[in-house]
Amino acid sequence: MSNDWLPTARTLIIAMCRNWIAYMTESVRVDWGVPADQFAALGTLFGNAETLLQKTMDEAERTHVITVECQSAFTALKEKMRFFRDRYFKMPPLTEGDWAALGFRPRDTHPTPVPAPDGVPAASLSYPGGPHAMTAHLSPLAGTQELDPNSDYGYAIYVGIMPPGGATLEQAASEKHYLMKAPADGKGLQHFRFTRRRKEKLLFDTEDGGMTAYVCCRYENQKGDVGQWGPVASALIP
């Protein structure tokens, strides 16, 4: 399913999620099959992201650590929102009115067929300045055929981190899922985000400095279908 429905601006993401939480009353959650623990988890992620966003907008409170924590908080919130949309927002039991109330565009009852992505993307990494930061540069792989803007609509980016020599079993099982070995493609990496931009900034935690970051991407169409993996790019995290 395409991620194009999710706003880019953090303030709009917060506004959308706040609206979801208010709309999903207890009776609605029962009708839609939303478990109490999942709804509570969404609320916790929302509250954390909202608090950190406010801190990043306050010059007196904003620090590099707060900035990194805010990015991580929004990554987690967006993943949970995508999970909710894919898992619980089904029609039926939702109505067209529910769909609109949640902030989605009206559903196309006569969709135009969208071909699967057939292009292959490439990623390269550079250091934009600043600690624990990189920039991912995205483009069609050299020598690939001309892209179809409908099928090769944007980039799905995946990121993984490997400690020197590879992760231990404990590190691999941690929340960050550190890599035990260098990946051959993007299958073992974590979904970072969908983007239509050619450049995306990557921010890492302080403890990740000196580890190796691996980045891989593939094209995604407007329906959320994905194409072939591009080559894996890697660089040391400063």
XYZ file of all heavy atoms in Angstrom, residues 11-63:
415
model
N 4.248 18.473 11.651
C 3.070 19.065 12.282
C 1.789 18.461 11.718
O 0.806 18.268 12.452
C 3.061 20.587 12.082
O 3.207 20.885 10.672
C 4.193 21.252 12.853
N 1.796 18.128 10.428
C 0.615 17.525 9.812
C 0.458 16.065 10.228
O -0.658 15.566 10.368
C 0.705 17.640 8.288
C 0.690 19.061 7.718
C 0.781 19.027 6.205
C -0.570 19.812 8.165
N 1.583 15.375 10.428
C 1.521 13.996 10.928
C 0.895 13.984 12.315
O 0.024 13.161 12.624
C 2.927 13.375 10.966
C 3.468 13.199 9.548
C 2.915 12.034 11.696
C 4.915 12.785 9.482
N 1.337 14.916 13.168
C 0.785 15.024 14.518
C -0.709 15.328 14.455
O -1.515 14.729 15.188
C 1.524 16.115 15.320
C 2.938 15.640 15.681
C 0.760 16.494 16.581
C 2.984 14.463 16.620
N -1.100 16.235 13.587
C -2.513 16.604 13.466
C -3.345 15.412 13.008
O -4.447 15.169 13.523
C -2.670 17.776 12.498
N -2.832 14.644 12.053
C -3.568 13.480 11.566
C -3.716 12.438 12.661
O -4.814 11.892 12.879
C -2.867 12.873 10.343
C -3.463 11.534 9.897
S -2.692 10.845 8.401
C -3.716 11.619 7.138
N -2.627 12.151 13.376
C -2.685 11.127 14.412
C -3.588 11.564 15.563
O -4.333 10.740 16.111
C -1.279 10.816 14.919
S -1.215 9.350 15.972
N -3.528 12.825 15.926
C -4.410 13.334 16.993
C -5.872 13.119 16.591
O -6.712 12.736 17.409
C -4.141 14.806 17.253
C -5.023 15.389 18.383
C -4.858 16.882 18.533
N -3.521 17.234 18.990
C -2.616 17.860 18.262
N -2.906 18.203 17.000
N -1.425 18.151 18.742
N -6.180 13.366 15.328
C -7.540 13.178 14.826
C -7.934 11.704 14.881
O -9.063 11.368 15.261
C -7.624 13.695 13.389
C -8.993 13.501 12.781
O -10.002 13.888 13.355
N -9.041 12.881 11.604
N -7.015 10.804 14.523
C -7.300 9.373 14.596
C -7.671 8.968 16.022
O -8.652 8.262 16.245
C -6.086 8.572 14.166
C -5.796 8.557 12.702
C -6.348 9.349 11.731
C -4.857 7.719 12.045
N -5.805 9.068 10.514
C -4.895 8.072 10.664
C -3.989 6.727 12.467
C -4.075 7.428 9.726
C -3.175 6.089 11.530
C -3.227 6.446 10.177
N -6.832 9.407 16.964
C -7.033 9.007 18.360
C -8.377 9.510 18.877
O -9.101 8.793 19.574
C -5.865 9.524 19.226
C -4.571 8.777 18.852
C -6.163 9.351 20.712
C -3.324 9.346 19.485
N -8.736 10.740 18.521
C -10.013 11.297 18.962
C -11.188 10.579 18.302
O -12.238 10.366 18.931
C -10.059 12.793 18.644
N -11.006 10.173 17.044
C -12.111 9.551 16.298
C -12.360 8.114 16.742
O -13.503 7.637 16.734
C -11.798 9.584 14.804
C -12.989 9.244 13.921
C -13.970 10.194 13.662
C -13.124 7.980 13.363
C -15.058 9.886 12.864
C -14.203 7.667 12.562
C -15.179 8.633 12.315
O -16.253 8.320 11.525
N -11.299 7.436 17.146
C -11.439 6.024 17.510
C -11.895 5.884 18.961
O -11.120 5.524 19.849
C -10.122 5.278 17.265
C -9.844 4.995 15.803
S -8.410 3.887 15.547
C -7.067 5.005 15.907
N -13.157 6.165 19.183
C -13.731 5.953 20.511
C -13.763 4.453 20.812
O -13.496 3.623 19.936
C -15.159 6.518 20.569
O -15.966 5.814 19.603
C -15.176 8.006 20.253
N -14.103 4.109 22.025
C -14.105 2.700 22.416
C -15.032 1.872 21.540
O -14.685 0.774 21.095
C -14.504 2.559 23.886
C -14.453 1.118 24.387
C -14.738 0.998 25.868
O -14.969 2.034 26.521
O -14.742 -0.147 26.376
N -16.220 2.397 21.252
C -17.164 1.641 20.433
C -16.651 1.481 19.002
O -16.840 0.430 18.377
C -18.535 2.329 20.433
O -18.448 3.640 19.882
N -16.003 2.524 18.489
C -15.439 2.445 17.140
C -14.331 1.402 17.093
O -14.249 0.592 16.158
C -14.906 3.830 16.699
C -14.040 3.699 15.438
C -16.061 4.788 16.429
N -13.486 1.399 18.119
C -12.382 0.432 18.153
C -12.908 -1.001 18.192
O -12.335 -1.899 17.563
C -11.466 0.705 19.348
C -10.778 2.063 19.296
C -9.594 2.128 20.244
N -9.929 1.885 21.635
C -10.321 2.802 22.497
N -10.462 4.069 22.089
N -10.574 2.509 23.757
N -13.985 -1.206 18.915
C -14.591 -2.541 18.955
C -15.097 -2.938 17.573
O -14.866 -4.051 17.099
C -15.730 -2.591 19.986
C -16.514 -3.901 19.857
C -15.182 -2.449 21.400
N -15.793 -2.011 16.912
C -16.346 -2.295 15.579
C -15.237 -2.586 14.568
O -15.408 -3.423 13.676
C -17.184 -1.111 15.089
C -18.492 -0.961 15.855
O -18.896 -1.940 16.522
O -19.100 0.124 15.789
N -14.109 -1.881 14.694
C -13.026 -2.029 13.723
C -12.027 -3.109 14.106
O -11.102 -3.403 13.338
C -12.287 -0.694 13.563
C -13.113 0.400 12.948
C -14.396 0.319 12.512
C -12.693 1.739 12.720
N -14.816 1.535 12.024
C -13.792 2.431 12.135
C -11.520 2.439 12.945
C -13.726 3.777 11.782
C -11.443 3.786 12.592
C -12.541 4.445 12.009
N -12.178 -3.677 15.288
C -11.260 -4.725 15.725
C -9.894 -4.225 16.129
O -8.883 -4.926 15.931
N -9.842 -3.020 16.706
C -8.565 -2.445 17.146
C -8.305 -2.877 18.592
O -9.044 -2.491 19.496
C -8.585 -0.902 17.066
C -7.261 -0.330 17.564
C -8.873 -0.452 15.634
N -7.273 -3.669 18.866
C -6.987 -4.104 20.235
C -6.611 -2.922 21.141
O -6.022 -1.939 20.672
C -5.803 -5.062 20.071
C -5.810 -5.448 18.632
C -6.355 -4.266 17.894
N -6.921 -3.038 22.412
C -6.637 -1.963 23.364
C -5.147 -1.684 23.454
O -4.726 -0.516 23.560
C -7.203 -2.332 24.737
N -4.311 -2.741 23.414
C -2.873 -2.517 23.553
C -2.293 -1.795 22.340
O -1.381 -0.963 22.469
C -2.139 -3.832 23.797
C -2.327 -4.846 22.669
O -3.289 -4.712 21.889
O -1.501 -5.768 22.581
N -2.840 -2.074 21.143
C -2.361 -1.368 19.951
C -2.767 0.105 19.985
O -1.982 0.991 19.610
C -2.908 -2.040 18.693
C -2.257 -3.372 18.368
C -0.808 -3.229 17.961
O -0.344 -2.155 17.582
N -0.066 -4.324 18.040
N -3.977 0.376 20.434
C -4.429 1.763 20.536
C -3.581 2.511 21.567
O -3.198 3.666 21.350
C -5.900 1.805 20.926
C -6.482 3.196 20.987
C -6.696 3.921 19.827
C -6.813 3.770 22.205
C -7.229 5.209 19.871
C -7.343 5.053 22.262
C -7.553 5.776 21.095
N -3.274 1.856 22.686
C -2.435 2.478 23.714
C -1.030 2.745 23.188
O -0.434 3.793 23.478
C -2.380 1.584 24.952
N -0.502 1.805 22.401
C 0.835 1.982 21.830
C 0.864 3.167 20.876
O 1.822 3.952 20.866
C 1.266 0.704 21.113
N -0.195 3.314 20.066
C -0.286 4.465 19.167
C -0.291 5.760 19.965
O 0.400 6.725 19.620
C -1.553 4.363 18.314
C -1.807 5.534 17.358
C -0.741 5.603 16.278
C -3.193 5.427 16.721
N -1.067 5.796 21.062
C -1.130 6.998 21.887
C 0.203 7.335 22.518
O 0.578 8.515 22.606
N 0.940 6.329 22.955
C 2.252 6.557 23.559
C 3.240 7.123 22.539
O 3.963 8.084 22.818
C 2.803 5.242 24.137
O 1.928 4.775 25.165
C 4.200 5.446 24.718
N 3.263 6.535 21.341
C 4.160 7.024 20.289
C 3.787 8.443 19.867
O 4.651 9.279 19.606
C 4.113 6.082 19.089
C 4.702 4.683 19.319
C 4.436 3.789 18.114
C 6.193 4.773 19.594
N 2.485 8.701 19.798
C 2.012 10.048 19.450
C 2.478 11.061 20.497
O 3.024 12.120 20.153
C 0.486 10.058 19.361
C -0.114 11.440 19.362
C -0.102 12.224 18.219
C -0.676 11.967 20.521
C -0.649 13.497 18.221
C -1.222 13.232 20.536
C -1.204 14.008 19.380
N 2.279 10.757 21.771
C 2.659 11.685 22.830
C 4.144 11.957 22.852
O 4.584 13.108 23.045
N 4.946 10.921 22.635
C 6.396 11.088 22.621
C 6.839 11.960 21.456
O 7.659 12.872 21.614
C 7.061 9.711 22.525
C 8.565 9.776 22.705
O 9.071 10.542 23.524
N 9.282 8.964 21.959
N 6.283 11.704 20.264
C 6.651 12.492 19.084
C 6.218 13.946 19.240
O 6.959 14.870 18.883
C 6.020 11.879 17.835
N 5.034 14.172 19.768
C 4.539 15.532 19.943
C 5.422 16.298 20.924
O 5.777 17.467 20.681
C 3.101 15.515 20.432
C 2.483 16.908 20.570
C 1.048 16.865 21.028
O 0.728 16.027 21.907
O 0.240 17.660 20.523
N 5.801 15.674 22.030
C 6.645 16.333 23.032
C 8.010 16.690 22.451
O 8.504 17.810 22.636
C 6.825 15.413 24.252
O 5.554 15.180 24.848
C 7.757 16.042 25.277
N 8.622 15.748 21.738
C 9.947 16.002 21.176
C 9.894 17.039 20.065
O 10.822 17.848 19.914
C 10.552 14.693 20.658
C 10.994 13.723 21.760
C 11.279 12.344 21.185
C 12.225 14.267 22.483
N 8.809 17.049 19.285
C 8.669 18.063 18.241
C 8.617 19.455 18.862
O 9.245 20.394 18.352
C 7.411 17.799 17.417
C 7.118 18.818 16.308
C 8.251 18.861 15.298
C 5.803 18.497 15.617
N 7.882 19.607 19.942
C 7.808 20.894 20.622
C 9.172 21.329 21.124
O 9.524 22.511 21.065
C 6.813 20.812 21.779
C 5.361 20.661 21.330
C 4.413 20.391 22.476
O 4.821 20.136 23.604
N 3.113 20.425 22.190
N 9.975 20.375 21.597
C 11.316 20.707 22.082
C 12.229 21.154 20.942
O 13.044 22.064 21.114
C 11.923 19.513 22.806
C 11.284 19.217 24.154
C 11.983 18.070 24.859
C 11.375 17.826 26.237
N 12.040 16.715 26.956
N 12.096 20.524 19.763
C 12.940 20.920 18.635
C 12.581 22.308 18.122
O 13.394 22.968 17.480
C 12.825 19.925 17.470
O 11.479 19.911 16.966
C 13.229 18.527 17.900
N 11.367 22.753 18.410
C 10.924 24.073 17.964
C 11.258 25.162 18.988
O 11.006 26.338 18.747
C 9.419 24.037 17.681
C 9.032 23.039 16.584
S 7.244 22.800 16.375
C 6.770 24.365 15.668
N 11.808 24.745 20.132
C 12.195 25.688 21.182
C 13.716 25.772 21.203
O 14.401 24.808 21.552
C 11.665 25.202 22.534
C 11.923 26.197 23.658
O 12.807 27.056 23.510
O 11.245 26.099 24.698
N 14.279 26.919 20.819
C 15.726 27.059 20.737
C 16.406 26.793 22.069
O 17.551 26.328 22.111
C 16.097 28.462 20.241
C 15.703 28.726 18.792
C 16.214 30.059 18.296
O 16.946 30.728 19.062
O 15.903 30.426 17.161
N 15.724 27.068 23.164
C 16.319 26.858 24.485
C 16.449 25.375 24.813
O 17.311 24.986 25.609
C 15.487 27.563 25.557
N 15.606 24.540 24.230
C 15.611 23.110 24.536
C 16.233 22.266 23.436
O 16.665 21.148 23.688
C 14.183 22.612 24.791
C 13.545 23.122 26.059
C 12.306 22.320 26.417
O 12.446 21.200 26.918
O 11.192 22.833 26.154
N 16.291 22.796 22.222
C 16.749 22.001 21.088
C 18.246 21.711 21.175
O 19.066 22.616 21.305
C 16.431 22.701 19.773
C 16.779 21.861 18.551
C 16.318 22.511 17.269
N 17.011 23.768 17.020
C 16.402 24.936 16.937
N 15.094 25.026 17.097
N 17.082 26.043 16.707
N 18.592 20.440 21.133
C 19.974 19.989 21.085
C 20.084 18.928 20.010
O 19.076 18.477 19.460
C 20.410 19.381 22.438
O 19.619 18.200 22.680
C 20.229 20.376 23.585
